[in-house]
Amino acid sequence: MNEQERNSSLLKKERLINKLAVDQQSSFLATWWIEIANLIKEAGVNWNLEYLEVVNQNQYDFWIEQLKREPWANFSFPDSVIQQGNIYWVHELFYSNYPSSLPLRYLPKLEKWPINSSDNGATLKEIIAKLNMSNQPIYLFFVRMSPVIKMDLFDLALIASNDIMPDQEDTAIMAIDGSWVIFKSLEQEWVFGHI
């Protein structure tokens, strides 16, 4: 095998590795996260994605192809939901503004909210009312998943449920500028605070 054939073979291998990585991530999100996106879409509130995934340049075209396939095609997401780079900037803003208070799992060092209900939607509405929060754009996302939803706080309160804010995930609701956050851990601890 000459040098040109070797380089061609390496490029094909790298391309296959990137395609498989995108297929795997897309499949994971389609299996788990897409149900939440469908519930929000069916609720009829205004929302969009800040990003679905942040990828390196070699994976970008594969993700753009994925957006044209089911189940992603049902949403008509713009290509901009796939961002190139290596920084999930909303997640990074969250972690830098609200560091963890625990060494083995993430829980921000914020004020705890007493839980009066197992209904996550009811708890969120209670927090919004007691803190006299105004309607404003927010980010809704899960700590261990890439997609970040952008919507209005009151729209989220209107449709919030255990299906949209599942017990099995750490859920963050954060101001667009990162100035405040409401966080629900998968251990059902609710905390809130601002910088």
Side-chain angles (χ1 to χ4, degrees), residues 113-131 156-165 167 173 182 184 188 190:
W113 188 267
I115 300 171
N116 299 321
S117 171
S118 62
D119 180 340
N120 293 332
T123 302
L124 176 62
K125 290 174 187 140
E126 180 184 330
I127 292 171
I128 291 170
K130 294 263 172 97
L131 296 178
L156 176 59
L158 182 69
I159 65 170
S161 68
N162 287 20
D163 292 328
I164 291 174
M165 298 176 4
D167 290 340
I173 301 157
I182 298 170
K184 178 200 68 71
Q188 303 311 305
W190 286 79

Side-chain angles (χ1 to χ4, degrees), residues 12-72:
K12 285 179 184 176
K13 183 177 179 182
E14 181 181 339
R15 186 167 166 77
L16 179 60
I17 289 169
N18 285 309
K19 183 182 183 322
L20 291 173
V22 169
D23 289 348
Q24 183 178 10
Q25 180 65 2
S26 175
S27 178
F28 167 74
L29 292 175
T31 301
W32 202 92
W33 180 84
I34 201 80
E35 293 175 30
I36 293 164
N38 277 322
L39 289 169
I40 294 171
K41 179 182 175 185
E42 290 167 8
V45 298
N46 289 327
W47 69 286
N48 58 34
L49 278 181
E50 188 64 27
Y51 52 78
L52 176 65
E53 185 61 88
V54 179
V55 300
N56 66 46
Q57 182 179 1
N58 296 330
Q59 295 178 349
Y60 181 78
D61 290 338
F62 293 118
W63 258 111
I64 299 306
E65 289 174 22
Q66 286 289 338
L67 290 180
K68 296 172 186 165
R69 296 185 191 133
E70 299 300 324
W72 307 112

